[in-house]
Amino acid sequence: MRVGAGVAAVAGIGLALVAGAAGLGFAIARRLTAPPSGRVYNLTIRGVVRHEGRDAVVLDRNSSTVAPGLYNLWLEDGGWVRLGPVIGEDAGTVTRLVESTEPADGLTVGQRASWSGIYYRDPADAGLDAEDVVVETPVGPAPAWLIRPTENATNDWAIHIHGLASPRAGTLRGVKVAADAGLVSLIVTYRNDGEGPTVGSGRSTLGATETDDVRAAVRYAIAHGAERIVLFGWSMGGAIALQIAADREFGGIVDRLILDSPVIDWYATIAANCARAGLPAQAGVLSRPWLKWGPLARVVRLRSAVPLDRFSWIARARALSVPTLILQGAVDTSSPPAEARRLAHLRADTVQLETFRADHTLGWNSEPERWRRRAREWILA
């Protein structure tokens, strides 16, 4: 009886461990594919001071607020504050110069705010004249911004693809470069991104089906006169751009890729984001069955499985033939810099890597002039 009881106890522990692992994998898969949610306003403006005739804000010190460069504070009441360089810091706070505020008199102590690298709210805010257009995708109409350069216009287009849980406004940092270089820019949305069509439960398929919507945008550009296309992809938008660049349909038309913090391998990215969330990086393995196997993917409320292997560009390196510039944060905690280095090493003939001392998609913010110069050189190469 004792042996039997012991076996039963061990079996019970084993089942509990299996159930716990399955539950954690399910939770990770759900979080990865979750529909876009609102901003988290986890900062408080601790003080507003004057510095050489200009406003500056005092914030709690953390790895984001001390980072060099240009950033935005999105305010809970709907306004925003563009921030410039750090002008003072101590053990608990950091003081940053204010570049501009909206509304102009909207800066007060105690306001709750959200830190962001998304510097421009919309095209007008970036000094760009945009036309609202619609791209007909396989799942319905997707709104897009069409921006034509004011001078030196050509039949060259740039298509700008935002990342997971990020609005299209985030790509405007690159749109200004394309416009200055004379390219027509199409800034796209896609299914379940909060601006494009909503499909099913509203969950992301990590680029698997979203790529179809961006393919429709490439066809839109060609139908409207594009003879050469540069794809700007941010984070998951980079993964989408890589898929499209490998399409035979667009051979000779898609001429360049500019990828900021791209997802080069979902397995590595999932592991990095588990670590970012305080879990063991290896926990990411537990999510794979929930994403890759159809019946479990449907439990997660996805319509179909996500073919993660298709996004493994280390394994698929030989399939990349389009000249590619990767703009990568050296301290990116979401898209591992090691993957970008590996791809650049494997395809030194095609891929160039430019690194910044920045976290995920914040290279432009850390060194705007260098980011813009490098991207412009690649466009015009």
Side-chain angles (χ1 to χ4, degrees):
M1 294 295 293
R2 290 177 185 171
V3 172
V7 170
V10 170
I13 293 170
L15 288 171
L17 290 173
V18 169
L24 179 57
F26 172 77
I28 293 170
R30 290 274 294 177
R31 181 67 189 89
L32 277 169
T33 61
S37 58
R39 286 190 168 275
V40 176
Y41 296 93
N42 55 359
L43 283 174
T44 300
I45 295 178
R46 302 297 182 188
V48 179
V49 299
R50 297 290 288 176
H51 176 78
E52 298 180 353
R54 296 171 62 183
D55 282 338
V57 295
V58 181
L59 302 167
D60 291 332
R61 180 188 177 98
N62 60 41
S63 60
S64 294
T65 58
V66 300
L70 305 175
Y71 300 89
N72 229 335
L73 279 182
W74 297 86
L75 303 176
E76 194 170 26
D77 63 8
W80 75 94
V81 183
R82 286 207 188 93
L83 297 178
V86 174
I87 58 170
E89 54 185 304
D90 57 30
T93 65
V94 60
T95 304
R96 300 190 75 115
L97 201 62
V98 172
E99 299 291 332
S100 64
T101 61
E102 179 65 36
D105 60 350
L107 190 59
T108 59
V109 175
Q111 286 175 297
R112 294 187 62 77
S114 177
W115 185 267
S116 179
I118 299 175
Y119 199 67
Y120 303 107
R121 189 183 189 98
D122 52 37
D125 186 42
L128 298 166
D129 186 14
E131 176 186 353
D132 289 316
V133 299
V134 171
V135 173
E136 293 297 336
T137 77
V139 292
W145 290 319
L146 181 64
I147 297 174
R148 300 184 184 278
T150 55
E151 55 187 35
N152 303 320
T154 68
N155 290 327
D156 295 348
W157 283 50
I159 295 179
H160 304 264
I161 315 163
H162 65 83
L164 179 64
S166 178
R168 56 180 156 158
T171 70
L172 290 168
R173 290 166 286 180
V175 174
K176 287 178 67 68
V177 177
D180 290 344
L183 276 65
V184 179
S185 279
L186 185 66
I187 302 95
V188 303
T189 61
Y190 46 72
R191 69 189 72 188
N192 297 338
D193 68 354
E195 297 181 271
T198 298
V199 177
S201 63
R203 292 188 166 273
S204 171
T205 60
L206 307 182
T209 57
E210 293 88 345
T211 298
D212 291 337
D213 303 337
V214 181
R215 285 191 183 98
V218 176
R219 295 181 188 118
Y220 175 99
I222 294 169
H224 288 79
E227 296 177 359
R228 169 184 179 251
I229 294 175
V230 178
L231 299 179
F232 280 73
W234 298 72
S235 189
M236 189 182 86
I240 292 171
L242 285 163
Q243 297 296 316
I244 290 173
D247 284 357
R248 291 183 180 178
E249 177 184 355
F250 305 123
I253 297 293
V254 173
D255 178 71
R256 288 280 191 279
L257 302 183
I258 299 176
L259 310 180
D260 191 298
S261 309
V263 174
I264 292 172
D265 182 289
W266 266 119
Y267 298 128
T269 299
I270 292 169
N273 280 273
C274 284
R276 190 179 195 174
L279 295 170
Q282 298 86 341
V285 173
L286 302 175
S287 69
R288 295 181 189 179
W290 298 97
L291 296 169
K292 296 179 65 174
W293 190 42
L296 289 182
R298 287 189 285 275
V299 175
V300 176
R301 298 197 66 198
L302 297 173
R303 286 189 163 188
S304 60
V306 178
L308 294 177
D309 292 345
R310 190 189 302 167
F311 293 88
S312 295
W313 283 95
I314 302 303
R316 295 187 63 195
R318 300 314 306 175
L320 179 57
S321 60
V322 176
T324 300
L325 173 65
I326 298 177
L327 304 165
Q328 177 68 51
V331 290
D332 191 331
T333 54
S334 185
S335 292
E339 300 303 304
R341 290 193 297 269
R342 289 177 68 192
L343 185 58
H345 174 73
L346 288 170
R347 292 305 311 271
D349 59 325
T350 301
V351 178
Q352 290 191 21
L353 174 64
E354 189 87 5
T355 58
F356 298 79
R357 190 173 177 274
D359 203 339
H360 191 57
T361 67
L362 298 178
W364 182 98
N365 301 84
S366 68
E367 294 185 71
E369 289 305 319
R370 181 159 72 95
W371 196 102
R372 286 191 286 251
R373 182 179 67 252
R374 195 68 186 91
R376 181 183 173 86
E377 289 171 351
W378 197 252
I379 291 171
L380 300 176

